[in-house]
Amino acid sequence: MNSDVTAVVVAAGSGVRLGGTVPKALRTIAGKALVRHAVDNLIAGGCSRVIVMIADSERQAFEEALQIAAPGPGVELAVGGEQRQDSVSNGLALVDTDFVLVHDAARPLVPSSLVAEIISQLRSGSDCVIPVLPVVDSIREVGADGRSSVIDRGRLRAVQTPQGFRTDVLVAAHRRVSELGVEVTDDAAAVETLGVEVQLIPGSEMALKVTRPIDLVIAEQLLKES
Ligand code: CTP
Ligand code: MG
């Protein structure tokens, strides 16, 4: 083991909500694939190895988008799984550093300063550190009977990536959720099943997730103005 940091970038989804004919991670802003933006920002923030999880059928397209043959810090491809958590698990099996960051390719514009801050917190002893933002909308919870009630948004946070972990903690967490047979939408939720404390740090509007077509427009504009 060593104290370098590996990033596992999950890019094996198809992007149903975004639509289009290529996987979401290969859609471009400013002429560069979303996954390439994400990888470049992770490397700039201090990750020395990046493993990009993809659908096997898309290997050639990802190799081209990432210019894998080019020199520079290690960027490699591996095959993801059915659900996001399976893609993360497959990637984790390849990690040999003490710390790992898990990042959505769908968050292309994550600032390198946020990546660096997460790495710094891990090196200072945090087991799990995640970026969050306050929730801006009023939120209502709707019951099975259709009746709704307001939830105090002051207590809520929206969770982003990259999420940083001690690698052994995240490996144990993935083993646990797999034993329990539960589905989680992020890795901090997996870690929580072990009773490990999740450290929150301020996220960034730039780390928005491209989910629907309007998000691509927003990301493009944000990049222009940054
Ligand atoms: N992802 C993955 N493997 C899966 C599913 C998702 O690696 N089996 C990745 C996506 O590529 C994306 C990230 O997880 O970078 C966040 O998921 P999401 O935004 O939901 O992307 P998609 O699943 O591709 O989109 P959709 O749900 O609209 O189909
Ligand atoms: Mg999805």
Side-chain angles (χ1 to χ4, degrees), residues 10-18 24 53 81-84 87 104-106 209-211:
V10 284
S14 51
V16 172
R17 288 168 289 182
L18 185 61
K24 176 160 70 176
M53 310 308 297
E82 190 74 22
Q83 305 292 332
R84 183 187 183 279
S87 296
D104 294 325
K209 182 154 78 78
V210 173
T211 305

Side-chain angles (χ1 to χ4, degrees), residues 64-217:
E64 281 163 22
L66 290 165
Q67 297 175 302
I68 294 285
V75 180
E76 56 209 90
L77 301 179
V79 178
E82 190 74 22
Q83 305 292 332
R84 183 187 183 279
Q85 73 193 62
D86 305 317
S87 296
V88 176
S89 282
N90 291 0
L92 264 183
L94 306 172
V95 174
D96 61 0
T97 50
D98 286 349
F99 305 118
V100 60
L101 263 51
V102 179
H103 185 60
D104 294 325
R107 298 182 188 272
L109 304 183
V110 58
S112 57
S113 56
L114 179 58
V115 174
E117 174 60 19
I118 290 166
I119 292 173
S120 162
Q121 294 297 332
L122 291 173
R123 292 208 167 113
S124 302
S126 185
D127 288 342
C128 166
V129 51
I130 68 172
V132 300
L133 286 179
V135 172
V136 291
D137 293 309
S138 288
I139 303 281
R140 296 188 76 82
E141 183 175 45
V142 183
D145 60 0
R147 291 162 71 97
S148 72
S149 56
V150 74
I151 293 187
D152 175 12
R153 73 175 174 212
R155 292 169 43 218
L156 301 181
R157 300 291 181 271
V159 173
Q160 301 184 314
T161 74
Q163 302 189 345
F165 306 90
R166 248 181 52 200
T167 305
D168 56 353
V169 168
L170 189 57
V171 168
H174 271 261
R175 196 175 304 130
R176 177 116 178 97
V177 294
S178 146
E179 280 162 11
L180 294 172
V182 294
E183 202 174 300
V184 290
T185 55
D186 80 333
D187 297 280
V191 159
E192 212 160 72
T193 65
L194 297 175
V196 168
E197 192 191 336
V198 175
Q199 184 192 345
L200 309 185
I201 64 166
S204 165
E205 300 285 358
M206 291 294 287
L208 87 162
K209 182 154 78 78
V210 173
T211 305
R212 300 184 182 86
I214 194 172
D215 301 318
L216 212 46
V217 179

